[in-house]
Amino acid sequence: MSVHALPSVNASADVAHASMANAIRFLAIDAVEKAKSGHPGMPMGMADVATVLFSRFLKFDPSDPAWPDRDRFVLSAGHGSMLLYALLYLTGYEGLTLDQLRAFRQWGSKTPGHPEYGHTPGVETTTGPLGQGIATAAGMALAERLSNARFGDDLVDHYTYVIAGDGCLMEGLSHEAISLAGHLRLNRLIVLFDDNEISIDGSTSLSCSDDQLARFEASGWSACRIDGHDPEAIAAAIERARHGDRPSLIACRTIIGFGAPNRQGSEKAHGAPLGAEEVARTREALAWPYQPFEIPEPILAQWRKIGARGQTARRNWIERTRRLNIAGRSPFHDALNRHLPGEYAAAIDQLRARFVQERPVIATRQASQLVIDTIAEALPNLLGGSADLTHSNLTRAKTQQPVRREDFQGNYIHYGVREHAMAAAMNGIALHGGFIPYGGTFLTFADYSRPAIRLAALMGIRVIHVMTHDSIGLGEDGPTHQPVEHLASLRAIPNLLVFRPADAVETAEAWDCALRAETSPSVLCLSRQALPAFREATANVNLVAYGAYVVSEPEEGRDVTLIATGSEVAIALRAAQQLGQDNIRAAVVSAPCFDLFRTQSREYITAVLGRVPRIGIEAAIEGEWMRWLGDGGEFVGMTGFGASAPAETLYREFGITAEAVAETARRCLTRARMTATHS
Ligand SMILES: Cc1ncc(C[n+]2csc(CCOP(=O)(O)OP(=O)(O)O)c2C)c(N)n1
């Protein structure tokens, strides 16, 4: 139970609940009308639930939207964004003015079509792709319990509330998230289900006959159904849920488009402006005689009072944290600090130096294990995990203990075979703050996590995906498990850093880049098979941070550049040797991160690539490689799916060998010389 209760502003005490809720309804109606697009039905239907939640329960303070001990409110049904924007305006978030509501969905406004984290104060996570919000919220609720176990009720004591619709619950992702949250008994997670039985195509009975209550209960939740237009029933259900020992589903039976005489209860209210005539009728029906965007003073004042009621709680919380801070620094503040501590830098530098010296011939997933073992102690807020592939991904540090529902002191999460929920929950954990989450699976299953990875990139949050078994080099498991298009497809996501390190030193450097990337998620693509070490001592310069760099440069200039990533760098080095025997001078470039390379200066990029024919080598499809290779270049890689056989056989059969690379280089050189002679 929450030990720091808030005063509740019961709407009915001063202004009638209906007026408070109608303020939300009409702001949504008017904004959608003005934008000529948007979704009025959901805010109209859930206005009563939202009013009760915000006025009586939600712990928040608009003057500090990032207050760490606030309750989180996630609008999983992101299409109903006007519900959230109306609440943010009414409760007094800075910058969320009436003008911003008038500019709903317009260029440069704080009120985009779907809520965007980092864009609008008070938006906890980006939602719109259905199902993501509820799964992200599970991560937030988990982070709350983990922080609470470390720092106690005085500092960490909040709830995560979610509004989710039929669409969110139909998405497969919701199942993974519900199952994980139920298993971990995340009792601070309360889902308010907009149970209106309508989605875009019409009645949900067209496509779904799930018993949602039974479904949640089967996953270890408590569940109930209430009239979502009855404020007392809503309040009683939330009150019960707050004191439960498991996550709660409150199915709120509502009418979509509540109050619009000809649209309510129908899919016609879902995603289009009501139209002038229907808006006028709705004003009559709900006895709201005011102009568009006009909120009468007593109603606004009452909403602002609701917005102000968290101030004391926040001040008291700040007082409590001050007591911790006697030495100028506390583990709690350290955990919340997004910058890495000095202990970390020392640990990673030492490990890299050890790798340079010892030159271990190990798989990059093994090198990653050594990195994790080393940094886990220096980074107490590192939170590991895997989607049931811990022993393959090598993601668990020796010191890490599993998180269990009876013990949230742990720092390693067994996400189960739930890659998508793992990725979304990690987003929630990162958004919540206090932890740096990483989680493992096979690279080929990045597809299962992709929608959540994309959102992490869009939100600009630090989440680290450890994806091992990164090519045909995994061998016998065959083409189902051998990624071929995944590197290209992940590289296509803006603001996602895709790393493919080539030896132990590069693996340590890639981890370092990922940890330092405070506004980008990363994917570390790691080999199953052992790779030779090639990196020489380079003082303390992180070369992976350049995205690509020259590994070996012929003394008297180059004839050709061989550019490779990960396991294929070794092939490039062998090919360079073979070419050397024919007096062809080949430079070898390792390109562990295209995304970082792209951001380097033109001069650096040209110097690395060289003005000579270039060969790209990667055991994957071509993707954007030709961008680096230019007209005179060629790519040596995969052109289709892999096969089940030992790795060596696969490399030979698919023609990714030093001989094939050398042959390709000779061909390119001959062509270049012929072109030069003819021009
Ligand atoms: C993953 C995903 N698929 C499809 C959509 C498009 N879409 C937006 S809302 C919606 C229907 C949602 O129905 P429901 O949750 O019941 O919302 P309501 O009609 O009650 O507002 C769909 C299919 C989406 N936003 N995300």
Side-chain angles (χ1 to χ4, degrees), residues 1 14 114 182 204 266 338 348-349 354 369 445 513 533 543 547 596 600:
M1 173 183 154
D14 302 322
H114 294 84
T204 50
S266 143
R338 291 177 351 141
I348 193 87
D349 284 349
R354 204 184 101 197
Q369 166 84 77
F445 303 136
C513 290
L543 293 177
L596 291 176
Q600 304 305 318

Side-chain angles (χ1 to χ4, degrees), residues 429-471:
I429 292 164
L431 288 164
H432 178 277
F435 298 96
I436 302 174
Y438 71 88
T441 185
F442 289 155
L443 180 57
T444 194
F445 303 136
D447 291 338
Y448 280 61
S449 322
R450 187 181 176 89
I453 297 176
R454 180 176 188 272
L455 274 190
L458 175 59
M459 291 191 276
I461 54 175
R462 176 174 49 188
V463 172
I464 302 173
H465 294 267
V466 178
M467 298 207 168
T468 66
H469 297 59
D470 70 349
S471 74

Side-chain angles (χ1 to χ4, degrees), residues 510-645:
W511 258 106
D512 189 44
C513 290
L515 286 163
R516 291 183 190 282
E518 288 176 14
T519 56
S520 301
S522 298
V523 180
L524 304 176
C525 305
L526 305 174
S527 74
R528 171 180 184 261
Q529 72 277 28
L531 306 179
F534 62 87
R535 270 285 287 281
E536 308 290 342
T538 47
N540 266 347
V541 183
N542 181 332
L543 293 177
V544 169
Y546 290 87
Y549 65 95
V550 178
V551 173
S552 77
E553 183 81 78
E555 272 168 24
E556 287 153 26
R558 359 172 150 167
D559 297 316
V560 64
T561 307
L562 309 179
I563 310 165
T565 75
S567 38
E568 284 69 71
V569 172
I571 293 176
L573 285 164
R574 281 206 305 279
Q577 268 179 4
Q578 291 181 13
L579 289 166
Q581 285 159 14
D582 296 345
N583 291 325
I584 298 173
R585 298 162 302 175
V588 175
V589 167
S590 176
C593 184
F594 284 7
D595 312 275
L596 291 176
F597 189 43
R598 207 179 288 125
T599 64
Q600 304 305 318
S601 68
R602 198 124 279 290
E603 295 71 37
Y604 179 80
I605 292 175
T606 310
V608 170
L609 298 178
R611 295 185 190 280
V612 291
R614 303 163 203 152
I615 317 300
I617 310 124
E618 183 168 73
I621 61 159
E622 189 177 289
E624 64 171 293
W625 266 96
M626 286 318 283
R627 173 196 170 125
W628 306 117
L629 304 181
D631 283 348
E634 271 192 50
F635 177 69
V636 176
M638 299 292 290
T639 51
F641 294 115
S644 173

Side-chain angles (χ1 to χ4, degrees), residues 387-408:
D388 202 42
L389 285 169
T390 296
H391 306 301
S392 302
N393 301 145
L394 303 179
T395 33
R396 183 171 160 188
K398 286 191 198 84
T399 51
Q400 284 173 333
Q401 294 303 317
V403 171
R404 298 176 199 277
R405 66 179 174 215
E406 55 285 333
D407 179 13
F408 285 100

Side-chain angles (χ1 to χ4, degrees), residues 39 41-42 77 79 114 128-131 164-168 170-171 194 196-200 204 256 270:
H39 301 77
M42 183 274 185
H79 57 280
H114 294 84
L130 297 171
D166 295 292
C168 290
M170 285 191 219
E171 287 292 348
D194 181 15
N196 62 19
E197 300 182 296
I198 292 289
S199 63
I200 290 182
T204 50
I256 190 168
H270 166 90

